C-alpha cells in the first residue's frame, strides 16, 4: 500500500506539471485579442541608470483563415545593419510552420513539419549546420509566443509554462520552456496618451537565461513596453505610438508649403523686450528714455508657422498638455518642412520673412535680455525714548537697483491680406 500510494503521488505530480504547460491547440487562447497591424518600438539599452537609444524595432502581424504571420525588423542607429525575422504559425492551433532570420552574423531557416529541418549559416566562421530531428511533443516557436501572451486569460497570480522550440548550434536540446512566473496589475504612463492599466507579465526564458517583463494593456492587449534582463545587459523596448492621431483637422503638406514659398509678400519685424518698473504716477508704463528697448541679439532665431486650422489645433492641444505636465504632441511627418526660420540680422532686433502668400501666420521667438530689479536691505535701527520711556524702533533701510538676466518668450499672430503686401510688426515682451 505504501508503494502504491507513492506511485499514485508521483503520477499525480507529473499530471499536474503536464497540465501547467501550454502547447499549440490549447483552447485557452482568445483569438479575438490577437493584435494585427503595424507597431514600431524604440530600442534602448540601460547603462548606469540612463536610457540610451540604440535602434528601432518594427513589427507587422497579419492573419488570414490559415496562418498568422509575424515580420520584424531591427534597425540599429548609425548603422546599416538590419536584422529581419519571419515567423508563420497556424491560425487555429498556433503550431509553428516556418521561421527565418537574417542578420549580419547569421542566417537560418526552420521548417516545421513531422521532421524539423534547420539550415543554419554563421557568416563569421563560414560554418554551416543542417539538421533534421523528429519531435513528438507539441511546442510553439520561441520567437512567436510573445505575441500570443495577450490572448491568454491573464489575471493576478497567473502562472503557466510554454513549451518552445529555440534552435542554436550549441544546444543539447532545442525544446525549452518559457515560464510565466508572475502576473500582476500595474500601470503604464504614455507621454502621448496618459496612464493605462496593464498586466505586468514576467516570463523567464530557459533558452536565453533571460527575464522578459511585458506590459500588456488590460483592455486592448497592446504591448506598451518590454524589459529584458540578460546576464550582460538590460534592454527596454517602448511603443512609439505611431498610430496616435488626436487631430480633427487634416494636414496638407503641399498646400501648406505653398503658403510659405509661393507668394510675394514680406513680413518685416523687430524683436525686443522692455521693463515697466516705473513708480508713482508712471507705474506700469513704458516711457521713452526711461525703459529702453532690450533688443534680441544678432542671430536670434525667429520662427514663422503658417497658422492654418491644423496648426491652430496643434498649438491648442499642446497648450492643454503643458498644463497637465504631459509631453507635447509631435508634428506629423512633413509638417516641420512648412515652418520657416529666420534670424535677427543686426543689433536692433530686425528680421524678415519673404515669399509668403496671403494668410494668417504665428511668429514666435525666445531670447535673453537684461531685466531691472530692486532690493531693500536693513542697515540699522533707531530706538526712540521720551522721558526715559521706550516709544518704539524705526529701521534704517537702503534700496538699490540691479540688472538680472531674464528670458523673453514672445508670440504674435499676423495676417497678410493680399499678395505683394509688406507687413511690419514688433515682437515685444513688456514686464
Amino acid at each position: 500500500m505504501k508503494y502504491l500510494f507513492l506511485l499514485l503521488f508521483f503520477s499525480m505530480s507529473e499530471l499536474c506539471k503536464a497540465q501547467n504547460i501550454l502547447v499549440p491547440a490549447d483552447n485557452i487562447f482568445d483569438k479575438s485579442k490577437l493584435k494585427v497591424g503595424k507597431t514600431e518600438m524604440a530600442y534602448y539599452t540601460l547603462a548606469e541608470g540612463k536610457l540610451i537609444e540604440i535602434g528601432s524595432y518594427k513589427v507587422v502581424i497579419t492573419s488570414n483563415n490559415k496562418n498568422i504571420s509575424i515580420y520584424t525588423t531591427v534597425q540599429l542607429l548609425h548603422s546599416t545593419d538590419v536584422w529581419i525575422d519571419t515567423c508563420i504559425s497556424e491560425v487555429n492551433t498556433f503550431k509553428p510552420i516556418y521561421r527565418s532570420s537574417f542578420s549580419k552574423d547569421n542566417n537560418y531557416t526552420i521548417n516545421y513539419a513531422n521532421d524539423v529541418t534547420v539550415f543554419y549559416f554563421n557568416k563569421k566562421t563560414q560554418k554551416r549546420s543542417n539538421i533534421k530531428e523528429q519531435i513528438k511533443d507539441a511546442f510553439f516557436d520561441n520567437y512567436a509566443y510573445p505575441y500570443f501572451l495577450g490572448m491568454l486569460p491573464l489575471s493576478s497570480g497567473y502562472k503557466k509554462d510554454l513549451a518552445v522550440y529555440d534552435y542554436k548550434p550549441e544546444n543539447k536540446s532545442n525544446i525549452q520552456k518559457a515560464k510565466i512566473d508572475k502576473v500582476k496589475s500595474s500601470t503604464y504612463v504614455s507621454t502621448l496618451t496618459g496612464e493605462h492599466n496593464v498586466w505586468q507579465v514576467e516570463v523567464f526564458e530557459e533558452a536565453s537565461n533571460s527575464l522578459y517583463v511585458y506590459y500588456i494593456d488590460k483592455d486592448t492587449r497592446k504591448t506598451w513596453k518590454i524589459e529584458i534582463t540578460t546576464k550582460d545587459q538590460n534592454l527596454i523596448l517602448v511603443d512609439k505610438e505611431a498610430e496616435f492621431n488626436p487631430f480633427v483637422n487634416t494636414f496638407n503638406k503641399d498646400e501648406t508649403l505653398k503658403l510659405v514659398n509661393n507668394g510675394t509678400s514680406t513680413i518685416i519685424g523687430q524683436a525686443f523686450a522692455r521693463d515697466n518698473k516705473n513708480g508713482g504716477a508712471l507705474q506700469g508704463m513704458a516711457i521713452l528714455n526711461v525703459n529702453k528697448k532690450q533688443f534680441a541679439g544678432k542671430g536670434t532665431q525667429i520662427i514663422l508657422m503658417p497658422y492654418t486650422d491644423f496648426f491652430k489645433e496643434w498649438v491648442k492641444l499642446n497648450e492643454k498638455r503643458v498644463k497637465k505636465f504631459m509631453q507635447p504632441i509631435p508634428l506629423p511627418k512633413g509638417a516641420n518642412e512648412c515652418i520657416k526660420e529666420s534670424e535677427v540680422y543686426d543689433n536692433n532686433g530686425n528680421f524678415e520673412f519673404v515669399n509668403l502668400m496671403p494668410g494668417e501666420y504665428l511668429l514666435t521667438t525666445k531670447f535673453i535680455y537684461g531685466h531691472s530689479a530692486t532690493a531693500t536691505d536693513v542697515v540699522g535701527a533707531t530706538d526712540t525714548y521720551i522721558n526715559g520711556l521706550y516709544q518704539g524702533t524705526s529701521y534704517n533701510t537702503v534700496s538699490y537697483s540691479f540688472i538680472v538676466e531674464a528670458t523673453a518668450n514672445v508670440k504674435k499672430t499676423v495676417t497678410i491680406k493680399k499678395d505683394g503686401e509688406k507687413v511690419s510688426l514688433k515682437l515685444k515682451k513688456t514686464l
Side-chain angles (χ1 to χ4, degrees), residues 11-69:
S11 297
M12 290 300 295
S13 297
E14 292 303 313
L15 179 61
C16 291
K17 290 181 181 178
Q19 288 176 338
N20 195 47
I21 297 178
L22 292 177
V23 295
D26 281 337
N27 294 323
I28 197 170
F29 294 94
D30 183 352
K31 298 179 179 65
S32 67
K33 291 185 169 66
L34 176 65
K35 297 298 295 180
V36 297
K38 298 180 180 180
T39 301
E40 182 175 0
M41 306 185 86
Y43 212 150
Y44 299 94
T45 183
L46 184 62
E48 297 180 353
K50 296 181 180 179
L51 284 179
I52 302 172
E53 188 169 3
I54 58 175
S56 67
Y57 184 78
K58 297 179 181 179
V59 183
V60 178
I61 300 178
T62 63
S63 178
N64 55 36
N65 59 357
K66 291 184 178 181
N67 302 325
I68 298 172
S69 300

Side-chain angles (χ1 to χ4, degrees), residues 188-205:
Y188 171 79
V189 180
S190 161
T191 56
L192 293 176
T193 55
E195 187 174 288
H196 300 268
N197 294 320
V198 299
W199 292 117
Q200 183 176 320
V201 183
E202 296 186 10
V203 181
F204 178 76
E205 284 193 358

Side-chain angles (χ1 to χ4, degrees), residues 88-312:
I88 302 174
S89 303
E90 291 182 359
V91 72
N92 291 322
T93 65
F94 302 132
K95 180 181 178 181
I97 299 173
Y98 172 83
R99 166 80 190 280
S100 68
S101 181
F102 300 95
S103 67
K104 70 169 185 175
D105 296 328
N106 304 295
N107 289 348
Y108 66 88
T109 61
I110 305 175
N111 289 289
Y112 298 101
N114 293 329
D115 294 332
V116 179
T117 305
V118 181
F119 300 92
Y120 184 89
F121 176 54
N122 187 311
K123 295 180 181 179
K124 290 184 176 180
T125 63
Q126 296 295 301
K127 184 178 180 180
R128 298 178 186 273
S129 301
N130 300 329
I131 70 163
K132 180 181 288 188
E133 60 178 329
Q134 289 184 335
I135 301 176
K136 295 181 180 180
D137 298 327
F139 55 82
F140 300 95
D141 183 272
N142 187 61
Y143 176 82
Y145 86 83
Y147 304 96
F148 304 151
L149 293 176
M151 292 184 280
L152 291 171
L154 300 173
S155 60
S156 296
Y158 183 87
K159 280 191 174 186
K160 287 287 183 181
D161 293 345
L162 291 86
V164 298
Y165 186 92
D166 183 45
Y167 173 79
K168 289 183 178 64
E170 64 273 16
N171 283 353
K172 293 182 179 179
S173 173
N174 294 315
I175 299 294
Q176 305 282 345
K177 288 180 183 177
K179 300 181 177 181
I180 303 175
D181 286 334
K182 183 187 295 184
V183 176
K184 65 178 183 178
S185 294
S186 186
T187 57
Y188 171 79
V189 180
S190 161
T191 56
L192 293 176
T193 55
E195 187 174 288
H196 300 268
N197 294 320
V198 299
W199 292 117
Q200 183 176 320
V201 183
E202 296 186 10
V203 181
F204 178 76
E205 284 193 358
E206 289 183 340
S208 60
N209 193 31
S210 301
L211 177 66
Y212 289 71
V213 182
Y214 299 87
Y215 294 81
I216 301 174
D217 196 289
K218 288 187 175 183
D219 296 323
T220 67
R221 297 307 167 108
K222 176 187 182 73
T223 299
W224 289 104
K225 183 172 72 169
I226 306 171
E227 298 172 344
I228 307 169
T229 304
T230 71
K231 179 182 178 181
D232 302 317
Q233 60 185 341
N234 295 321
L235 301 170
I236 297 177
L237 294 106
V238 179
D239 194 292
K240 288 187 174 182
E241 300 183 69
E243 76 284 1
F244 176 67
N245 181 16
F247 301 105
V248 174
N249 293 287
T250 303
F251 170 67
N252 187 317
K253 179 180 176 181
D254 292 337
E255 291 300 317
T256 309
L257 276 175
K258 289 179 182 179
L259 287 173
V260 295
N261 292 324
N262 290 14
T264 60
S265 299
T266 303
I267 292 178
I268 300 171
Q270 186 182 49
F272 62 91
R274 175 176 280 169
D275 278 344
N276 273 348
K277 288 299 179 182
N278 304 305
L282 301 181
Q283 187 172 0
M285 299 176 62
I287 305 299
L288 187 64
N289 297 326
V290 175
N291 305 126
K292 293 182 179 181
K293 295 178 181 178
Q294 305 288 322
F295 295 113
K298 187 177 180 179
T300 298
Q301 189 180 56
I302 311 294
I303 305 296
L304 178 141
M305 179 188 298
Y307 218 29
T308 62
D309 289 341
F310 170 80
F311 279 101
K312 286 179 181 178

Side-chain angles (χ1 to χ4, degrees), residues 398-414:
V398 173
S399 296
Y400 56 93
S401 299
F402 57 95
I403 302 296
V404 296
E405 281 192 348
T407 301
N409 287 288
V410 194
K411 64 180 180 179
K412 188 171 185 177
T413 57
V414 58

